[in-house]
Amino acid sequence: MNVISFKERKGWSITVHDLSGSPVAAASMVTPFVASPGSDRVSCSNPGSWLILRPGDGTWKPWGRLEAWRERGGSDGLGYRFELIPDTNGGMSAAGIVLAESTLSSNKGGKFVIDLSSRVGSGGSNGRATPGSATSPVCSPRSSGDHGYGLWPYCMYRGFVMSASVEGEGRCSKPTVEVSVPHVNCTEDAAAFVALAAAVDLSVDACRLFSQRLRKELCQQMELLG
């Protein structure tokens, strides 16, 4: 994991390797986590974001996008939204399908869950569409060369997909990731979910109030550069 941090939290990256040492998934912070004007927190109106990436055709292809921010009010938690990205040219700008949108406790942590068993359908904002049921047309990563993108949006996630436990801010956690067997057809499938879980975990720290110091291992390179 690389961590590059100055006045804003940016440039963090995660790479997941298989047992042979080959990279099989990655997460890259593509939108910096910065405090909203007049505040020391990352706001919902200007969230930081990660791209979850899978290898394909000799390069990295975007599979999903995770946005995170610091909630206001009594919860004072980590707000997040995760969506799948269809494989179109310049996929970062493509409209995705939201699979998870909720809040975790910034202090105690909690579970990040993708479970389409009882989703209530609704139209998403900004061109996003929320799955209406367990049979919603949502694409799963596949073991084929195009990772299932050629079937978008006709291949589906159903029911429970994954969960990951994360610790609260300031703690060095090791997320426990559970993935439903039908959604894992190859190493890259499992690795993509692991990269997503790691990005959720690091978002707890990325969204920490800017008046508070990051834990040592996350600001070590900044100290060396300073």
Side-chain angles (χ1 to χ4, degrees):
M1 178 183 71
N2 298 319
V3 177
I4 303 173
S5 204
F6 299 97
K7 291 184 179 180
E8 46 186 19
R9 293 160 188 165
K10 63 180 181 179
W12 300 13
S13 64
I14 303 155
T15 304
V16 180
H17 298 82
D18 63 16
L19 294 178
S20 70
S22 300
V24 286
S28 177
M29 187 185 287
V30 292
T31 303
F33 287 72
V34 298
S36 59
S39 170
D40 66 344
R41 72 178 60 220
V42 180
S43 69
C44 180
S45 61
N46 188 32
S49 69
W50 303 77
L51 275 185
I52 312 302
L53 306 163
R54 292 171 54 104
D57 299 328
T59 186
W60 289 106
K61 289 189 174 183
W63 168 66
R65 180 190 294 109
L66 174 71
E67 296 179 333
W69 59 90
R70 185 71 175 247
E71 293 280 10
R72 285 187 175 275
S75 65
D76 198 34
L78 175 79
Y80 64 82
R81 179 187 302 110
F82 173 70
E83 61 184 17
L84 288 177
I85 301 174
D87 188 23
T88 58
N89 293 331
M92 288 178 60
S93 61
I97 295 182
V98 177
L99 292 191
E101 188 169 16
S102 190
T103 304
L104 290 173
S105 169
S106 295
N107 182 40
K108 297 179 180 179
K111 275 198 172 185
F112 169 85
V113 178
I114 300 176
D115 191 340
L116 307 183
S117 300
S118 58
R119 295 288 292 270
V120 177
S122 63
S125 60
N126 299 323
R128 298 182 177 91
T130 303
S133 69
T135 58
S136 299
V138 180
C139 187
S140 166
R142 307 290 294 184
S143 58
S144 60
D146 64 0
H147 302 307
Y149 291 126
L151 298 177
W152 180 278
Y154 302 107
C155 48
M156 303 175 186
Y157 278 125
R158 298 172 184 268
F160 171 78
V161 178
M162 72 159 286
S163 71
S165 58
V166 299
E167 299 287 344
E169 62 185 13
R171 299 186 180 100
C172 184
S173 61
K174 297 180 180 179
T176 300
V177 184
E178 298 179 2
V179 183
S180 177
V181 171
H183 304 305
V184 178
N185 295 301
C186 60
T187 301
E188 288 80 3
D189 286 344
F193 290 116
V194 171
L196 171 59
V200 173
D201 181 52
L202 282 176
S203 292
V204 176
D205 289 292
C207 288
R208 191 168 191 175
L209 299 179
F210 279 77
S211 57
Q212 300 174 346
R213 186 176 177 83
L214 290 175
R215 50 193 169 96
K216 184 177 180 180
E217 58 268 31
L218 293 180
C219 59
Q220 184 175 13
Q221 288 193 19
M222 181 179 66
E223 292 173 347
L224 291 174
L225 292 171

